């Protein structure tokens, strides 16, 4: 059997590290893109490292040579290094796609986010979905996955709950099914193998925001105290941020606050439960103190 060679871009991020582990577990040959040599320490068993910057096309010449599949979760949701969403979420991925097309790579998987195709007015999705359209119109087999929130994003609830009270906008009845990075990585590889073009991916459990808040409070063994703020405060916060800060500052918050005002239910996958993840996180935080 011919072993597929996979390039992972975004490998040092939350999802990327899980994808690398999953690919190696299944016997794939893996090349990892890193920005500096120190990042090699994040990986134990990869086959090849490529040192380069996707935002600098000259530094990635030959990155996809002999590669069958490309996986990219490249984006700047939580980074602050002077780059814009267009620089990274769009242009960096576009630079990578050009290399993949030149080297006749078989398939390219890109990770956007749930409802990205419907929320292009948000800065972060304007860039992500511009790349999605370029990928769809290219001469390559593509796979676009739009995952729901990651468990790591749900730590915002956990951090709030630590003080003993969680604040929600509106009545807290909007639903979502976040997913753990390990579960999502398995789905990413499955979908690449299956040749799926597009899908939304979420975790096994669907929660209302009220239920999420309760789980977070219980993880800290706190009484259930939830305050519901009128929705105009959420809209006003977005307006303030858009008016008085740069997209680098308001982009992630605008995304979070917009997502909080709708149901975000994706196809259900995985086995890891949010309650267990929260318990582990609380134990980690408590152990840090001692």
């Amino acid at each position: 059997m011919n072993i597929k060679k996979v390039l992972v871009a975004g490998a040092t991020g939350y999802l990327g590290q899980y994808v690398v582990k999953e690919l190696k577990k299944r016997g794939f040959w893996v090349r990892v893109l890193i920005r500096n040599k120190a990042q090699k320490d994040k990986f134990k068993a990869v086959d090849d490292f490529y040192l380069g910057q996707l935002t600098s096309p000259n530094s990635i010449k030959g990155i996809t040579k002999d590669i069958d599949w490309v996986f990219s979760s490249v984006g700047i949701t939580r980074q602050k290094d002077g780059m814009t969403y267009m620089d990274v979420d769009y242009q960096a991925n576009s630079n990578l796609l050009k290399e993949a097309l030149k080297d006749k790579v078989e398939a390219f998987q890109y990770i956007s986010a749930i409802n990205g195709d419907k929320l292009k007015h948000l800065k972060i999705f304007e860039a992500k979905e511009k790349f999605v359209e370029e990928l769809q119109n290219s001469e390559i087999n593509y796979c676009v996955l739009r995952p729901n929130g990651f468990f790591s994003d749900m730590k915002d609830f956990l951090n709030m709950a630590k003080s003993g009270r969680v604040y929600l906008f509106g009545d807290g009845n909007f639903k979502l099914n976040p997913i753990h990075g390990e579960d999502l990585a398995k789905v990413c590889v499955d979908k690449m193998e299956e040749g799926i073009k597009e899908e939304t991916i979420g975790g096994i459990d669907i929660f209302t925001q009220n239920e999420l808040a309760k789980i977070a409070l219980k993880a800290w063994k706190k009484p259930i105290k939830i305050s519901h703020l009128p929705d105009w405060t959420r809209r006003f916060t977005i307006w303030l941020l858009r008016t008085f800060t740069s997209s680098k500052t308001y982009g992630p918050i605008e995304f979070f606050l917009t997502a909080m005002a709708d149901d975000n239910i994706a196809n259900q996958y995985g086995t890891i439960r949010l309650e267990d993840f929260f318990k582990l996180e609380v134990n980690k935080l408590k152990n840090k103190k001692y």
Side-chain angles (χ1 to χ4, degrees):
M1 190 180 119
N2 187 24
I3 295 170
K4 296 284 186 191
K5 293 187 171 185
V6 187
L7 167 71
V8 181
T12 57
Y14 171 75
L15 173 60
Q17 290 188 57
Y18 283 115
V19 168
V20 170
K21 283 177 192 161
E22 187 61 27
L23 286 165
K24 287 311 300 172
K25 201 187 290 180
R26 298 195 198 187
F28 287 91
W29 185 97
V30 178
R31 176 181 293 158
V32 163
L33 169 66
I34 52 173
R35 292 194 302 272
N36 58 67
K37 287 180 180 171
Q39 291 179 324
K40 283 186 178 183
D41 297 341
K42 288 178 182 274
F43 306 96
K44 281 181 184 157
V46 302
D47 301 279
D48 190 31
F49 289 100
Y50 191 100
L51 189 64
Q53 293 266 16
L54 288 184
T55 48
S56 171
N58 289 333
S59 78
I60 58 164
K61 299 276 187 230
I63 189 172
T64 50
K65 190 174 186 301
D66 301 323
I67 290 293
D68 299 301
W69 295 349
V70 170
F71 165 89
S72 177
S73 57
V74 170
I76 55 168
T77 311
R78 287 185 185 267
Q79 288 180 17
K80 292 184 172 66
D81 52 9
M83 294 282 184
T84 66
Y85 293 117
M86 275 300 171
D87 291 333
V88 180
D89 293 66
Y90 169 67
Q91 192 60 57
N93 283 297
S94 179
N95 294 341
L96 179 58
L97 177 59
K98 285 180 179 72
E99 289 297 311
L101 289 165
K102 194 167 68 185
D103 288 324
K104 295 185 168 49
V105 167
E106 184 188 317
F108 192 120
Q109 183 178 85
Y110 175 65
I111 310 301
S112 182
I114 192 167
N115 292 329
D117 47 340
K118 301 179 190 80
L119 297 171
K120 291 181 194 173
H121 60 284
L122 301 186
K123 280 288 176 190
I124 188 169
F125 285 130
E126 180 189 7
K128 283 185 186 296
E129 293 299 319
K130 185 177 181 186
F131 176 68
V132 167
E133 286 165 17
E134 189 170 303
L135 180 61
Q136 290 166 334
N137 293 325
S138 69
E139 298 289 313
I140 201 166
N141 292 320
Y142 70 85
C143 175
V144 175
L145 298 184
R146 294 190 174 90
N148 214 327
F150 298 159
F151 278 14
S152 57
D153 300 322
M154 297 303 110
K155 286 199 274 192
D156 291 339
F157 284 91
L158 203 57
N159 293 338
M160 249 194 292
K162 188 180 180 184
S163 67
R165 185 177 292 274
V166 174
Y167 294 87
L168 299 174
F169 296 103
D171 59 15
N173 288 327
F174 286 121
K175 294 175 182 173
L176 65 160
N177 58 323
I179 186 165
H180 193 285
E182 188 179 326
D183 281 337
L184 178 55
K186 289 173 186 168
V187 181
C188 288
V189 181
D190 287 344
K191 297 302 168 189
M192 202 69 155
E193 290 181 325
E194 291 164 21
I196 299 296
K197 292 283 190 196
E198 292 186 46
E199 192 169 343
T200 62
I201 312 291
I204 193 69
D205 297 316
I206 297 171
F207 305 100
T208 64
Q209 291 166 13
N210 287 320
E211 287 167 342
L212 264 178
K214 285 175 187 171
I215 293 167
L217 287 161
K218 280 179 184 169
W220 286 108
K221 296 185 166 53
K222 303 274 188 186
I224 305 302
K225 290 180 182 174
I226 303 169
S227 294
H228 296 92
L229 307 171
D231 193 60
W232 68 262
T233 56
R234 180 191 63 83
R235 296 192 303 272
F236 182 63
T237 303
I238 292 173
W239 177 84
L240 272 179
L241 288 165
R242 284 193 75 117
T243 306
F244 297 108
T245 69
S246 70
S247 63
K248 190 172 74 174
T249 302
Y250 75 68
I253 305 168
E254 176 190 48
F255 167 49
F256 179 74
L257 291 177
T258 302
M260 291 287 284
D262 208 346
D263 285 327
N264 288 291
I265 303 170
N267 295 323
Q268 292 165 270
Y269 290 94
T271 57
I272 303 171
R273 305 278 174 182
L274 188 65
E275 291 99 320
D276 298 330
F277 174 76
F278 275 177
K279 280 175 197 163
L280 279 173
E281 287 300 310
V282 167
N283 285 337
K284 273 190 220 165
L285 291 165
K286 282 180 176 173
N287 289 335
K288 265 187 188 174
K289 286 182 186 174
Y290 303 111

